[in-house]
């Protein structure tokens, strides 16, 4: 398996011949975006690669469509150039076309000539504190595996805090590689409330799911992130050694074997 971190949540996943792109964000830095309900952010870093560097792509896995740090204008333009889009059920209705909408624990199978089938299962995610879903909207993570297998899972958390839905991931899946969205997001309008994982939460999730490798993403490049890599690493330093050694920070724009 090979992962290329483009920036933010955007990741090229190459597995068994498949080329999959998560949460496409390719706008240049400098622009401010509104997320609704008095929240927003400014993009502070651009992508390490362009869409042309990455195409062709077999499918886009979109954890949610309604926040620009997970799908910006250039990312939306890319969707028309990719044959398969998998996202949330409400997101599929908004985006239309042949988008495949999944609710947590629903699955779809990707199939293409010359490639082995690949099962994509939506996993639970909560993009904020308890009872925040009506405000922040639906988000999912994704689990990738060969149909019928229970092990060797690549799990992408999506934008989520640590909550009991992630315990279901640990109970149902044997995770090999976990891609965790960090950043410790907070907004002035909601004070200390968090909308994505911190390093401390990531350590808890790693202990719970016990992956071989943890790849942190979506912790830089936007002004609403309150904890970058340095802050996350300070918190991870307090975790047990067997948890710390699982974390692998990959260089943006560089294809990395995991």
């Amino acid at each position: 398996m090979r992962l290329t971190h483009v920036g933010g949540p955007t990741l090229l996943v190459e597995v068994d011949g498949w080329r999959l792109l998560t949460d496409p964000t390719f706008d240049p830095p400098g622009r401010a975006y509104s997320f609704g309900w008095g929240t927003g952010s400014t993009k502070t870093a651009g992508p390490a690669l362009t869409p042309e560097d990455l195409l062709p792509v077999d499918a886009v896995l979109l954890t949610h469509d309604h926040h620009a740090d997970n799908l910006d204008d250039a990312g939306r333009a890319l969707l028309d150039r990719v044959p398969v889009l998998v996202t949330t059920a409400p997101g599929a209705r908004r985006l239309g076309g042949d988008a495949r909408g999944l609710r947590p624990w629903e699955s779809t199978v990707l199939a293409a000539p010359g490639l082995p089938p690949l099962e994509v299962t939506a996993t639970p995610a909560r993009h904020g504190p308890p009872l925040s879903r009506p405000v922040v909207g639906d988000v999912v993570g994704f689990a990738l595996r060969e149909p019928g297998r229970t092990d060797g899972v690549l799990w992408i958390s999506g934008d989520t805090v640590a909550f009991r839905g992630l315990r279901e991931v640990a109970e149902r899946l044997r995770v090999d590689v976990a891609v965790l969205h960090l950043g410790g997001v907070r907004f002035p309008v909601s004070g200390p409330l968090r909308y994505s994982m911190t390093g401390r939460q990531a350590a808890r999730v790693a202990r719970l799911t016990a992956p071989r490798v943890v790849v942190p993403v979506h912790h830089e490049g936007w002004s609403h992130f309150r904890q970058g890599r340095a802050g996350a690493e300070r918190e991870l330093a307090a975790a047990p050694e067997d948890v710390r050694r699982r974390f692998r920070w990959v260089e943006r724009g560089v294809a990395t074997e995991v």
Side-chain angles (χ1 to χ4, degrees):
M1 181 189 307
R2 187 161 60 178
L3 304 179
T4 305
H5 185 202
V6 177
T10 309
L11 191 73
L12 179 68
V13 178
E14 297 176 88
V15 56
D16 294 336
W18 288 94
R19 293 174 59 83
L20 312 173
L21 190 68
T22 68
D23 290 355
T25 54
F26 293 97
D27 284 358
R31 177 177 164 188
Y33 300 77
S34 172
F35 297 159
W37 299 88
T39 66
S41 185
T42 298
K43 189 169 188 179
T44 60
L49 299 168
T50 69
E52 287 68 29
D53 294 326
L54 300 170
L55 290 168
V57 169
D58 300 303
V60 164
L61 306 180
L62 178 59
T63 65
H64 58 302
D65 69 300
H66 52 282
H67 293 154
D69 62 320
N70 294 82
L71 181 67
D72 59 17
D73 290 345
R76 286 179 184 272
L78 175 70
L79 298 182
D80 290 336
R81 304 170 70 182
V82 178
V84 178
L85 169 62
V86 185
T87 188
T88 64
R93 291 194 294 269
R94 286 189 291 264
L95 293 167
D98 296 326
R100 304 184 193 183
L102 301 180
R103 300 188 185 279
W105 300 118
E106 292 181 341
S107 298
T108 187
V109 175
L110 305 182
L115 296 175
L118 186 65
E119 183 178 72
V120 179
T121 301
T123 60
R126 195 184 76 200
H127 198 0
L131 307 179
S132 63
R133 182 167 281 114
V135 175
V136 299
D138 287 276
V139 179
V140 293
F142 294 107
L144 280 61
R145 58 183 167 181
E146 296 177 21
R149 284 191 63 174
T150 59
D151 60 350
V153 171
L154 168 63
W155 173 49
I156 300 159
S157 72
D159 286 10
T160 185
V161 295
F163 77 116
R164 66 181 180 181
L166 303 191
R167 186 172 295 277
E168 294 180 38
V169 173
E171 292 169 348
R172 295 188 182 213
L173 304 173
R174 294 173 60 187
V175 178
D176 179 53
V177 176
V179 175
L180 300 185
H181 290 203
L182 305 188
V185 166
R186 291 188 304 189
F187 298 102
V189 71
S190 53
L193 298 179
R194 297 278 188 181
Y195 294 85
S196 65
M197 279 189 276
T198 62
R200 183 176 293 109
Q201 287 187 329
R204 286 168 48 198
V205 172
R207 291 186 69 177
L208 188 66
T209 55
R212 175 177 56 86
V213 177
V214 178
V215 178
V217 299
H218 209 23
H219 49 78
E220 42 70 37
W222 290 82
S223 64
H224 64 306
F225 291 132
R226 294 295 182 265
Q227 187 184 78
R229 174 175 173 175
E233 288 191 306
R234 282 194 295 271
E235 292 190 349
L236 288 169
E241 192 277 335
D242 71 310
V243 172
R244 296 197 307 271
R245 64 177 171 79
R246 300 172 193 267
F247 281 77
R248 185 167 181 185
W249 303 82
V250 297
E251 183 178 350
R252 292 193 325 136
V254 176
T256 304
E257 296 287 343
V258 296

